[in-house]
Structures are given as structure tokens and as C-alpha cells.
Amino acid sequence: PVEPVEINAGAWYLRALRADDQIDDRPALAELGETDPGYVTRCAARWASDSGFTWAVCEPTTGEMLAEVSLDPATATLTSRARDGHADAAEAAAGSVRRFAAAVLGLTVRQHPS
């Protein structure tokens, strides 16, 4: 399996979603419309099974989650969503995930409408 990979996306960094005693992405995910309490756990399970990869797009100095990018390796599609005012972070992160997919997974990824 592909271990969760952190990616530098210029002004932002990407990491696996978290909901633990140090970082909890669930409030930011709620702002994105994701209110299912099991979502972070399911995303971790998809990493473990290589069936999907989801990153939190974060501001590097605070670690605040600004957007989310997900890659479905079976369909080579990428989806992203951003908190209000942070579409630029999602766009930059999507480009970084496309390069990761090409270099590490051998995939040519297309954008899926979010």
C-alpha cells in the first residue's frame, strides 16, 4: 500500500486528513459540507487499501486546513473543494497531486467537476 504522503504545493502543504488529539480536520471539513463523523476514518482506510487518496490542503505556518483534494486511482480522477476564499490553494494542490499521480502511480489524472 501507498503510505499517506505529504506533498509540498508551493505556498501550501498537503497531508492526510486527521481527527486526533493534535489535529482535527472535522470543523474545516464541515465548512466544506462534509459532516459525516466517519469520513476521516474512511479516508484513512482508502489510503490503507490503495483505493483512494485524500489530502488536507493546509496553510504551512498554522496547519489550518483550507481545502481538500482527493484522487481515485481506479478512475484516475481528481476532485477538490475549498473553503470560501481558498480556491487558489485547492487549484495549486490539484496540480501537485496530478504530478504525484504521474510520478509515483503512473497515472494521467483528469479533473472531475467538484
Side-chain angles (χ1 to χ4, degrees):
V2 175
E3 293 292 320
V5 175
E6 291 189 1
I7 300 173
N8 181 338
W12 300 277
Y13 80 94
L14 286 63
R15 60 165 171 75
L17 294 174
R18 291 180 55 182
D20 56 41
D21 59 349
Q22 294 184 2
I23 298 174
D24 189 350
D25 292 322
R26 291 174 296 185
L29 286 164
E31 285 188 41
L32 296 173
E34 187 58 64
T35 57
D36 180 346
Y39 181 73
V40 173
T41 301
R42 278 196 315 284
C43 288
R46 285 193 291 269
W47 270 102
S49 67
D50 287 344
S51 62
F53 311 110
T54 301
W55 288 268
V57 181
C58 302
E59 200 286 323
T61 59
T62 65
E64 177 184 11
M65 182 181 171
L66 307 175
E68 175 191 63
V69 176
S70 297
L71 171 63
D72 180 338
T75 60
T77 55
L78 179 141
T79 57
S80 64
R81 52 188 175 174
R83 292 169 59 190
D84 285 344
H86 299 290
D88 56 339
E91 186 175 326
S96 293
V97 169
R98 277 190 198 90
R99 289 186 293 279
F100 165 82
V104 176
L105 304 174
L107 296 175
T108 300
V109 175
R110 58 189 169 85
Q111 181 77 32
H112 187 281
S114 299

